[in-house]
Structures are given as C-alpha cells and as structure tokens.
Amino acid sequence: MAQVRVTRKERFNAAHRLHNPDKSDAWNRETFGKCNSANFHGHNYTLEVTVVGEPSPDTGYVIDLAELKSIMHERVIDIVDHSNLNLDVPFLDGVMPSTENFAVAIWQQLEGHITGGRLASVRLIETDKNSVEYCGE
Amino acid sequence: MAQVRVTRKERFNAAHRLHNPDKSDAWNRETFGKCNSANFHGHNYTLEVTVVGEPSPDTGYVIDLAELKSIMHERVIDIVDHSNLNLDVPFLDGVMPSTENFAVAIWQQLEGHITGGRLASVRLIETDKNSVEYCGE
Amino acid sequence: MAQVRVTRKERFNAAHRLHNPDKSDAWNRETFGKCNSANFHGHNYTLEVTVVGEPSPDTGYVIDLAELKSIMHERVIDIVDHSNLNLDVPFLDGVMPSTENFAVAIWQQLEGHITGGRLASVRLIETDKNSVEYCGE
Amino acid sequence: MAQVRVTRKERFNAAHRLHNPDKSDAWNRETFGKCNSANFHGHNYTLEVTVVGEPSPDTGYVIDLAELKSIMHERVIDIVDHSNLNLDVPFLDGVMPSTENFAVAIWQQLEGHITGGRLASVRLIETDKNSVEYCGE
Amino acid sequence: MAQVRVTRKERFNAAHRLHNPDKSDAWNRETFGKCNSANFHGHNYTLEVTVVGEPSPDTGYVIDLAELKSIMHERVIDIVDHSNLNLDVPFLDGVMPSTENFAVAIWQQLEGHITGGRLASVRLIETDKNSVEYCGE
Amino acid sequence: MAQVRVTRKERFNAAHRLHNPDKSDAWNRETFGKCNSANFHGHNYTLEVTVVGEPSPDTGYVIDLAELKSIMHERVIDIVDHSNLNLDVPFLDGVMPSTENFAVAIWQQLEGHITGGRLASVRLIETDKNSVEYCGE
C-alpha cells in the first residue's frame, strides 16, 4: 500500500502587474518597483501539480497523467494561458497576482477536481530564479 | 547533529510498454492509449536517490556520493540501462512498469543496501513533464 | 530584408536498437555494445527544426511556429512518437536508426513541406550528452 | 590568430501582443490566435548575444563578458525588462513585436556599440519551444 | 491563513578541496580521491533558499524575493563568490567544505536574518549530479 | 553523402584564476576584478565537441560517440578534471586560462586525434551565462 507522489508539469504565458488598488501609487511604486510597471510585464510560468496516492493494481497509476493534464488544462491553463492575470481571469478576481496568491488560487481551482489520489502540492515557477509552492495548509 | 539530505542523480535509457496481461487487448488500448503500443517505446529516465543522515565529523559526508553512485549502478542502473523493462529486468518480473511501480521497485532494490545514512526518497523522471517520487511509506 | 532563423522544439519517445542485419550477431554486439540489446531500449528524443527566411511585413513571422509545429507533427512526430523505430516507422524502412540516419530521414520528411521560409537545420537530441545536426548538405 | 565566438546570456520579462494595426480585428484574431489577446500576455525572454574576434594577448578576452553584459543592459535589457513591448519601448516603435522583428531590432540596438570583436549573432528564446536567431544578414 | 513556501535561486563560483588536516595525507587521498587534489578544484554552485509563511494581505508576498536576494548576497554570496572555500571564508573557518557542511554553515549564516516568514530549507547544488538539502533539524 | 554533425557533451570541474604575470598586480586587479582572486575560484565546465562527416553505411555513425567520449577523456577531461588550470595542466602551460584560450587549447589537444569525421567545433560553457566556441579558424 505504497503512497506515491506523481507530478505533472505544464507551461503557460501570461501578463500581470503587482498593484494594490487600496494603496497609493507612490506606495505601489516603492513596494513593487518595476513589478508595478503601468502597462504590465509577463512571464512564462511553469506549473507543477503533485498528486499522492496508492497506485492502482490494474493500471499502476495513482492517476493517469493524461487525465491530470486535462484537469490542469480545464481548471487552470486554458483560463490563464495568454491572458492578463489582472484583467482576464475570473478566479483571480480581487486577488493581487503575486506568485504566492496565484499558487493558492490554483490550489483552490484544482481541489475537489482530482479524480485519483489527492492533491498534494502546487508549485509555480515564475522565473529562472523565483518559485513558490503551496501544499494546502 | 544536523540531519542533511544528499541526492545523487543518474540517467539511463530503457524501452517499455504499459500492458496488463490480465485484461483484454481492448481494455489495454483504451486505458493506456499510445503507451500500450505493441512494439514498445522508450525513455531517457533520470533517477534521483536521496539519503538522509548526519555528516561524519571525519569526512563531512552523509555518504560518499561516489559510493552512492556505485550502489545505484550495482543495484539498479546496470540492470535496467539499455534494457526492455517488460522483458529483461528480474526485479520487475510480474510488475507492470508504470513509473509509479518502477519507483517502488527501485526503492526495494536499494533499501538495506545504503551504507551511510538512510534511504529517504526515490524520484524517477520519465519525461520533461512526468515524474514520480516514493519515500517508503 | 533580414534573414532570420526560427526554431521549433518538439519532444517524442521511441524504442530502437542498433543492429545491421547484413552483419553477424557477433559483429553487431562488438560494434554497438549495449545499443544492440535484443529487446530494444529507448529515448526521449528532442527534435529542433530551424527554418530561415525574411519575416513577413504583415505578420512579422518567417513561418507561424504553430504551423511549423503542425508540419512537424504530421510529417514526423505523429509517426514516430511512442513507436519502435526499427519496426513501426515506414520512413525508416531499411534505415538503421542511428541518430545520424534518423536526422537525415527527418530532413527528407520535412523538405518540400515547409510553407514559409526554407528548411535550414534538423537537430536531434538523443540523450543529455548526445546530439546530431543535419543541414541538408 | 584564432577567431573565437563568445556568448553572454541575459534574461528579462515583458508583456506583448501580436496585432497589426493596418489589418482588421478579424484578420488579427484569425492570424495570431491567442497571441492577439487584447490585454496582452507575456514571456520570460532569454537573450544570447555572440561576439566573434581574436582573444587579446594581454587578457585572453575577445571582449570582457562583464562589459558585454553592461552593453546588453544599457542598450537592451534596461529598456525592455518589465515593460510592455507594444507600448513602452522606443526602439520598437512601429515594429510588431514578433520574436523575429524583436531580434532584428535588438541587433540594431547593439550594432556599433560592441567594444571588442564584432557582433555575430542575436538569439532570442521566447518559450521553452520557440526561439529565433539573427546574424545581421 | 495559507502557509506558502517561496524559493530564491542564486549562483556563485568557488574553489575548494576536501582535506581533513587531522588525518594523514594517505588517508585523505584514499578517502577523497580527486576531490583531495592539492591545488584545489572548483564548482558553479547553485543555492536555493526557501522561506515559508503567510502571504501579506498588502503585498501578496511571504517575503519580497528582491529582499531575500539581498539577504542571500549580504550573508552568503558576496562572501563566497569567486573565493577559495578552504582559505578565504570566515564562516567556514575550521569547517571541511563538503557540500553537507557548507549547506549547514549557510543555514547558520541566514538564520535570524530572514525578515519575513521563516527559513525552511537551504539547498546547495554542487554539480549536475550532486546536491544536498538542510532544513534546520 | 550527407554531412552530419555529431556532438558529445562531457562535464568537468576545475579551479583557476585570471592573472597575467607580465602585468602589475594593480593592472590584474583592475582588469580581471574578482576573477583575479589570489586563492583561485572554480567552475563546473561543460565541454561540447562536434565532429562532422558522412555516416558510415555499416554503422550509421559519423564516429561512435563512445569513442569520441574516450578521446575527449584521454586528451582533455582526465587531465583537467578536479585540477587547477593555472598550476596542474601541461597543455595550458604559459596560457592564461580565459575560457577563450582554454577552448583553443582544447581544440589543439583534440585535432589530429579524431578517428572518424573531422573536428568541427569546441564549445566550452563556463557558467550559466558565459560560453565560448572555437571552430579552428
């Protein structure tokens, strides 16, 4: 009854800016620097979703990774790919799209929709040097 | 008395197919799709083995990574490299070589053979997008 | 009238073995070593196709990379992905699937089918350490 | 009198969209698909600049790569990083920011400003799968 | 009140050798092999520091990664980059610079200096194949 | 009679410093900055050697990459791995080990020793951001 973690990686591209509308423009510029640029900037995001569970005796799968890919696309990628995270994404409405907040929102999009095993981790890589991970706690 | 995790990465190439001999050909085709191709396909696998323990005051090592490499080669790589996972590998006899099952089988090959620290994780990367991890639980 | 090179990368998985049927088994074993394993082994191949030409004033494209992706899939990837290169691929019939020969065969599959610019390079990466490139000469 | 090629890699993030203002909205949607999204999307760009020349007998350098880095920052990176390529970048004024056109524009920004050797190649990597190269011809 | 892990990656280059001065030269040669070379060798190290905490409602940050970068530079990178780990680094005085010991020493340099969230992991990648991680336990 | 380029990648670690003994210490410090550190620093070098030629009708190989690997090890890697480039390497005697000079010296070590095809390129990657290439001209 081994508990195995399986991870699927998908990529998408999006524009965003960091801006807290409850604060002054000066506060935003000082706090977020160039990440506050008025006309947005963008990233190639890498999303890694990990599911944990016991492999099925019939298939050897915790979850068919093709199915996990479909769930990730339907619930997240198809909504955010080639979008503006501040303007275009219903599940980010009212959420400042820091990588931290974005990862938590992706967890909420996926939770309850995983058809085998249980959601264990959402990792979001924003640049070569910056990444975040949320494990639902 | 710090507990440090040390990881060694090795690569190997192998052919396999996903096929459950207890099920019909139709079930296998529908369940595994192109991964059920009759004449096999293959992968460059990356194997990452993590050992945890206290560094030796004499060597600064949890385990000499050259020794961990030797153990990985003797117990796993030399057996599976340039092999057919369905036909050639004694320690996979009767095991459908999904990445999940393969990782668990590698853990069993390594457990009890680590000469410093204790085995903490076996991670197996099958493609750019798919990977699994087994931690012995 | 700038000449710009555009490159699209795609990945696929396949099984193969190196075996020259005109030679003895002993010659094959000695020449190809473990690459001659009877039951095949396999790789995650990365294919990079480069097309060169002048960007269109209307689109800024040498060739729409989504279109180049489609051509690569129709002419190459859909035929070789999850296949056995020795047994399943019509365009490799009678060709020993060394990386060199495979790259030349891919060039021949693509030549004359590129709808913008002209084919400049086929690069095929077989492992982390081994790759080949063919430029049609 | 060896001619050696030296390459410096830098990264930056930017938003853009593909849209030809001389064409109809319908043409733009059909031609560029999701790359035409109204509110922009974005990328982590990797820029690789290659300079060729004879290493100096005194320094062993074709060009000090710290100096090449400074030139790349002053002439390109500091202008485009965290920007909107359609709205914020003077040297892209009137240029549709396809990767092809962007690479040619970067070449023009750098040409004549390289202080050792001569500019040989500008390579711009837009995503894991798409890249372009311009060599000044 | 989500607990999110944020990771910053930085790179540096250093020389070192493995040599225990309390042991004989013969012991050192036999134990460390080529890592004991008298005139040092070196590595491009990658340092990944992970901080865990709750994102700020104002900024969406656990810690501003630009600030984490500054802390990593001030406390570690500026001291070890382009240095000799055996001769030049005060915080490694009397420590044999195995990757394990080095990671623990980096943890001690950072602990108490993280200005948001709490230090969760120090990962140090020494080569393509060898890495260690220390989590403070 | 296709001309195919085949590339083999190997990695090694070494210490070095940039210092021109014919110049003053002040000149060296100003010219080379931290690369002039007295006690050396180091790198994980990646060496990519490309050979071009016609694939053999018998083997499909331009050159057996296992043989190219052996030549690279015998002529270069075994001499420079875990060494100090300023002090330990006979073929760098009197050569300041800039990446440029090092690549040219590696070319000279390999030229005339390639047993199939002809040497086409030596590429030496010193850091994530810096690399050089020498093609014998």
Side-chain angles (χ1 to χ4, degrees), chain C residues 27-48:
Chain C
W27 182 92
N28 275 287
R29 271 195 305 274
E30 184 174 345
T31 303
F32 296 120
K34 58 188 180 179
C35 297
N36 183 242
S37 295
N39 293 321
F40 309 102
H41 61 283
H43 298 289
N44 302 333
Y45 289 92
T46 299
L47 173 62
E48 295 182 357

Side-chain angles (χ1 to χ4, degrees), chain E:
Chain E
M1 315 243 252
Q3 292 292 309
V4 181
R5 297 165 60 89
V6 299
T7 299
R8 176 72 187 180
K9 182 195 290 185
E10 293 292 327
R11 297 182 175 92
F12 61 93
N13 312 312
H16 81 150
R17 73 182 290 221
L18 297 183
H19 184 84
N20 183 338
D22 297 339
K23 301 281 186 175
S24 70
D25 283 359
W27 183 93
N28 276 288
R29 269 195 306 275
E30 184 173 345
T31 303
F32 296 121
K34 59 188 180 180
C35 297
N36 184 243
S37 297
N39 293 319
F40 310 101
H41 62 283
H43 297 288
N44 303 333
Y45 289 91
T46 299
L47 173 62
E48 295 181 358
V49 173
T50 299
V51 170
V52 65
E54 196 180 330
S56 153
D58 281 350
T59 62
Y61 287 161
V62 171
I63 180 173
D64 182 347
L65 286 176
E67 190 172 323
L68 180 53
K69 172 186 173 180
S70 292
I71 296 165
M72 290 166 68
H73 271 266
E74 189 182 329
R75 299 288 306 164
V76 181
I77 307 287
D78 294 352
I79 302 169
V80 298
D81 190 29
H82 284 77
S83 80
N84 183 309
L85 302 179
N86 300 71
L87 303 175
D88 297 335
V89 178
F91 76 76
L92 291 175
D93 198 32
V95 175
M96 195 169 36
S98 71
T99 325
E100 290 91 330
N101 289 345
F102 193 8
V104 173
I106 289 172
W107 176 283
Q108 292 164 345
Q109 278 293 106
L110 293 173
E111 206 181 13
H113 295 268
I114 304 297
T115 53
R118 66 176 191 282
L119 188 58
S121 162
V122 165
R123 202 158 86 90
L124 193 56
I125 304 169
E126 195 180 75
T127 69
D128 173 55
K129 296 195 164 175
N130 295 349
S131 63
V132 311
E133 186 180 27
Y134 180 58
C135 300
E137 290 170 2

Side-chain angles (χ1 to χ4, degrees), chain C residues 2-31:
Chain C
Q3 294 292 308
V4 181
R5 297 165 62 90
V6 299
T7 298
R8 175 75 187 179
K9 182 196 290 187
E10 295 291 329
R11 297 182 174 91
F12 62 93
N13 311 311
H16 81 151
R17 74 183 289 221
L18 297 183
H19 184 84
N20 182 338
D22 298 339
K23 301 283 187 175
S24 70
D25 284 359
W27 182 92
N28 275 287
R29 271 195 305 274
E30 184 174 345
T31 303

Side-chain angles (χ1 to χ4, degrees), chain C residues 18 20 23 27 31-32 35 96 98 100-101 103-104 127-135 137, chain F residues 1-11 55-65 69:
Chain C
L18 297 183
N20 182 338
K23 301 283 187 175
W27 182 92
T31 303
F32 296 120
C35 297
M96 194 168 39
S98 70
E100 290 91 328
N101 288 345
V104 173
T127 69
D128 174 55
K129 294 195 166 177
N130 295 348
S131 64
V132 311
E133 185 180 29
Y134 180 58
C135 300
E137 288 169 5
Chain F
M1 314 243 254
Q3 292 292 309
V4 180
R5 295 165 63 89
V6 299
T7 298
R8 176 74 186 178
K9 182 195 290 186
E10 294 292 327
R11 297 182 174 91
S56 153
D58 282 349
T59 62
Y61 286 161
V62 171
I63 180 174
D64 182 346
L65 285 176
K69 173 186 173 180

Side-chain angles (χ1 to χ4, degrees), chain A residues 61-77:
Chain A
Y61 287 160
V62 171
I63 180 174
D64 182 347
L65 285 176
E67 191 172 321
L68 180 53
K69 173 186 172 180
S70 292
I71 297 165
M72 290 167 67
H73 271 266
E74 188 182 329
R75 299 290 304 166
V76 181
I77 307 287

Side-chain angles (χ1 to χ4, degrees), chain F residues 50-97:
Chain F
T50 300
V51 169
V52 65
E54 194 180 333
S56 153
D58 282 349
T59 62
Y61 286 161
V62 171
I63 180 174
D64 182 346
L65 285 176
E67 190 172 322
L68 180 54
K69 173 186 173 180
S70 292
I71 296 165
M72 288 166 68
H73 271 266
E74 188 182 331
R75 299 288 306 165
V76 180
I77 307 287
D78 294 352
I79 302 169
V80 297
D81 190 29
H82 284 78
S83 80
N84 184 309
L85 302 179
N86 299 72
L87 302 175
D88 298 335
V89 178
F91 76 76
L92 290 175
D93 197 32
V95 176
M96 193 168 40

